[in-house]
Amino acid sequence: MKEKLRRHIEENISLSDEESRLIASYFSFEEYKKKDLLIRQGEYVQDCYFIVSGLLKLIYQDESGKEHIVSFAMENWWESDFSAYFTKSKAKMSLQCLEDTKVYALSLENYQKLIAKMPKMAYFFLEKSNSGNTAAQNRIISLLTLDAQEKYQQLFEQNPSLFQRVPKRLLASYLGVSRETLSRLQH
């Protein structure tokens, strides 16, 4: 399992075997079942997660109880309520497993120790952060400017596997359309 984390990191920086072992020592391996919550809205966020296997959804529940899907996260992605994680505050969102999931968890304390001990990991995390910010901005722009058909097409082109792994009602929620509209878009 740790080999998967190493390969992922080596997409951005090179690692010696010793560096790889050091990095791995800062992470804890965790397994979750479908429907388990890794983060609960309103509670403090302990970790950010590298997803080894499985699928999660990051959700915001509004005051009326309606669930809004912020993102889906799958293998080789990082996920958390990053605002709460980095500010040591209570989560505004929940992170829930849609499948049985295996992750490497990294506490903020270990994150800070790791980048202090190995500065090139700061570069790695900066690259991941930049990619995440770019994706978030692109999602906001698509929500503001694209019609339902265009949002559907964009999601299908970017993440075709979601259409096999995620129930239609969740895809519809993520796209901001009704389930009936999603069914029409699929034909």
Side-chain angles (χ1 to χ4, degrees), residues 12-56:
N12 291 89
I13 59 173
S14 60
L15 298 174
S16 68
D17 289 343
E18 183 180 330
E19 288 172 327
S20 180
R21 282 190 294 278
L22 176 66
I23 291 166
S25 73
Y26 287 94
F27 286 82
S28 63
F29 179 74
E30 299 173 2
E31 296 183 68
Y32 296 92
K33 296 290 183 194
K34 183 178 179 176
K35 297 186 180 181
D36 283 352
L37 287 171
L38 285 72
I39 297 172
R40 286 184 196 279
Q41 190 169 332
E43 295 182 3
Y44 287 98
V45 175
Q46 302 301 316
D47 298 298
C48 73
Y49 302 94
F50 171 72
I51 301 149
V52 176
S53 65
L55 180 66
L56 301 107

Side-chain angles (χ1 to χ4, degrees), residues 13 19 22 112-126:
I13 59 173
E19 288 172 327
L22 176 66
Q112 292 167 336
K113 286 179 183 177
L114 177 57
I115 61 176
K117 182 89 171 170
M118 190 180 302
K120 67 181 174 179
M121 282 301 291
Y123 171 79
F124 169 79
F125 286 120
L126 177 62

